[in-house]
Amino acid sequence: MRDFLSTYFVYIKTFFKARAEYKTSFVLGMLSNFYCYFITYMSYWVLMNGVDTVEGWDFSDISILYGLSLLTYAIAGMLVWYSVYALEDLIISGQLDIMLLRPQGLMRQMIFQRFGDTFLGQIVVTVIFLCAAFASRTKVIGWQTWIYFILAVIGGVFMQTGSMILFGAFSFWTMKSGALVDILFYDLRGMTNYPLSLYPRAFRIVLTFVLPWAFINYYPTLIITGKDVAVYETVLGLAAPLAGVLWFLLAMGVFRLGLKRYTGAGG
Amino acid sequence: MVSFENVGKFILSDISFCIPDGIIAGVIGRSGAGKTTLIRLAGGLLSCEAGTVRTFLQDPVRRRRQIAKDIRFFSSAHPSFREDSTIADEFKKLRFVYRLDQKEFQEEYERLAVSLRFGEDAEKEIRQLSFGQRRRAELAAVLLGQARLILLDEPTVGIDEAGKQIFIEQLQKKKEGGTAVLIASENMAEIEKACDRVLLLDEGRLLYYGSRARLMRQYAPVNEISIVYRGRLPDLEDLPLIEYRIDNDRLRCRYNENVVSALEIIRHVAAHTVVAEMQVVRPRLEDVVMTLR
């Protein structure tokens, strides 16, 4: 781990050095991300402004729900988004071969490949709104909840990272998997920005057991805001960090399978 | 050390050979002969369909990560460096990749920067460098640290003559340190002198594996000698020459070196005349490849 961090640090340093050559594009990239997600938050605020609650959810609940999703997405994106999206390019350009013949795990090298600096804007926005949401809560939040919150974030990062890896690994089988990824990951996950209780049961089951995006934010938010009425909600909520890790392991398994296929028939 | 035993993959079939440490082996053949596939199999970037590949006595596909620290790989088809980085930074990363000692790394880096002449470009953004400038640095990366195996796929494309010579010299130094080198190239003329052994591929079959000299004797034994003499030429009918021609005081003959040596011909001529000048022309490795069917 220490070795990983020190190497990551070297890579990040050279990355920012290279980035500094294009200060304007760096700053503009951050600002546009910040602006875009700030507007999204504001649109929720506008939506919620006319009504007190939606199915018992107020703006601070929605902020936490959306915040958990966006925060974990942005952290995962900083780590792997660019390299996973570049997997196709890495295969086509043959750079993957160079990476395969280096004495580190491929995933580690892909994380080193590029630091997703543009996601910093999203993190800043989310932290602002999360702080506001927690500050506006009248009920005191106990230390157990804080610990759970941290675990949920970690689990969420695992699940988001895993998803990026899983969908990125499709490149081993088929090039240009972009449209499918957009639907399965982005569009369906976007549904979890609203309370799942708004949707028909079938959607809830899909988002829990098939494409388990609800573990990223919905179930954790139930626990954090004390909305876990039913037993299954508490159980799924507490299982969320674990679900994230399991999903990540599954994704890594698929990635390895893809890599095997690559060396077996590729090139 | 790399060994292939009855290996089959894509076009390659029934390939067997063993390259021990401290040997530079050239993989030659026309395009499509299977050179790149052979290199990739040795590095574990492909798994074979038949037979066994062993690199350092291990399965290179399953143990790729473990053996990778002892392997350097270069392919002219793949970019080794990031476009938005600098040579200095890319080497710094390599120090971490191969866990090299800071002081040793610094010395070696500076040595390589001088000999392959990329020191001046080291701090420039790589996308601003010319192809040749990049290529010299990429080749230098292969020489970094003491690897046990260096795999090169068409390494000399795009670098100048001086650069090639320096690179070959550096490879020979590595070889003296016990490194095995596998070079695939279509243009063997430029590196053939550096090769101890030759793997001759044709349409996926290994036609020949062994020393370069023996390959020549086997596939291209006909040499040409030209001798300028003074005096009266003796009868040449005793010599088993293929053909000869005399114009003015110059004798040209073609002979099979497995039948008669250049030395025997010269001795015969020199016994009766004064030899003023002589020259032996041997076929080039490239010509051998061209004649193969």
Side-chain angles (χ1 to χ4, degrees), chain A residues 3-96:
Chain A
D3 178 61
F4 175 87
L5 288 176
S6 62
T7 313
Y8 192 52
F9 184 70
V10 171
Y11 275 67
I12 299 235
K13 220 167 67 181
T14 63
F15 172 76
F16 274 105
K17 212 176 95 187
R19 215 73 179 121
E21 303 274 322
Y22 305 95
K23 267 195 202 83
T24 336
S25 100
F26 175 68
V27 172
L28 283 178
M30 285 261 290
L31 276 181
S32 70
N33 255 296
F34 182 92
Y35 176 75
C36 167
Y37 287 95
F38 187 83
I39 293 295
T40 312
Y41 269 107
M42 290 317 285
S43 71
Y44 289 127
W45 182 74
V46 170
L47 269 175
M48 303 293 292
N49 212 15
V51 287
D52 275 349
T53 62
V54 175
E55 292 243 330
W57 293 64
D58 61 17
F59 179 63
S60 83
D61 298 332
I62 296 285
S63 288
I64 293 172
L65 185 71
Y66 183 52
L68 268 176
S69 175
L70 194 57
L71 181 67
T72 53
Y73 173 72
I75 296 175
M78 257 182 355
L79 294 172
V80 299
W81 196 84
Y82 282 101
S83 39
V84 157
Y85 263 64
L87 182 62
E88 198 176 304
D89 294 337
L90 292 180
I91 293 173
I92 292 169
S93 74
Q95 224 190 333
L96 190 70

Side-chain angles (χ1 to χ4, degrees), chain B residues 48-61:
Chain B
C48 50
E49 287 150 8
T52 334
V53 176
R54 287 289 175 269
T55 302
F56 315 139
L57 303 173
Q58 302 184 64
D59 180 343
V61 175

Side-chain angles (χ1 to χ4, degrees), chain B residues 12-68:
Chain B
L12 292 182
S13 74
D14 204 25
I15 304 286
S16 300
F17 64 85
C18 176
I19 297 164
D21 290 345
I23 286 285
I24 298 181
V27 184
I28 58 174
R30 290 174 289 196
S31 33
K35 301 187 295 290
T36 299
T37 305
L38 188 141
I39 296 273
R40 289 165 60 93
L41 282 167
L45 293 171
L46 284 175
S47 43
C48 50
E49 287 150 8
T52 334
V53 176
R54 287 289 175 269
T55 302
F56 315 139
L57 303 173
Q58 302 184 64
D59 180 343
V61 175
R62 297 183 58 193
R63 305 271 301 161
R64 187 173 49 232
R65 242 175 94 181
Q66 288 77 14
I67 63 173

Side-chain angles (χ1 to χ4, degrees), chain A residues 98-169:
Chain A
I98 305 266
M99 291 163 87
L100 283 173
L101 270 175
R102 289 200 169 149
Q104 283 113 1
L106 185 59
M107 193 47 67
R108 176 180 282 220
Q109 289 186 68
M110 289 182 65
I111 290 174
F112 292 162
Q113 183 73 14
R114 184 176 163 185
F115 176 73
D117 53 309
T118 50
F119 290 94
L120 286 170
Q122 274 145 268
I123 291 180
V124 174
V125 179
T126 315
V127 167
I128 292 172
F129 278 92
L130 275 178
C131 287
F134 280 120
S136 72
R137 298 197 74 77
T138 43
K139 224 178 101 195
V140 180
I141 300 164
W143 61 270
Q144 298 97 329
T145 311
W146 283 117
I147 288 177
Y148 174 78
F149 174 75
I150 290 164
L151 286 177
V153 169
I154 294 171
V157 170
F158 267 107
M159 186 164 286
Q160 303 261 24
T161 311
S163 306
M164 290 177 192
I165 291 170
L166 182 72
F167 292 122

Side-chain angles (χ1 to χ4, degrees), chain B residues 3 14-15 19 33 84 88 91-92 103 107 146 156 218 266:
Chain B
S3 65
D14 204 25
I15 304 286
I19 297 164
D84 59 1
F91 270 81
K92 231 176 264 170
K103 204 169 142 270
E107 282 169 16
Q146 188 61 50
T156 52
Q218 193 171 326
I266 294 163

Side-chain angles (χ1 to χ4, degrees), chain B residues 171-208:
Chain B
L171 275 183
Q172 260 155 344
K173 269 187 206 159
K174 290 284 162 192
K175 164 194 137 179
E176 280 152 26
T179 306
V181 183
L182 208 55
I183 311 175
S185 180
E186 249 170 78
N187 187 0
M188 256 350 244
E190 42 199 29
I191 53 166
E192 67 169 288
K193 284 180 199 75
C195 292
D196 303 298
R197 294 192 191 174
V198 169
L199 281 135
L200 186 54
L201 288 176
D202 190 59
E203 290 181 356
R205 287 169 305 126
L206 183 59
L207 289 190
Y208 175 83

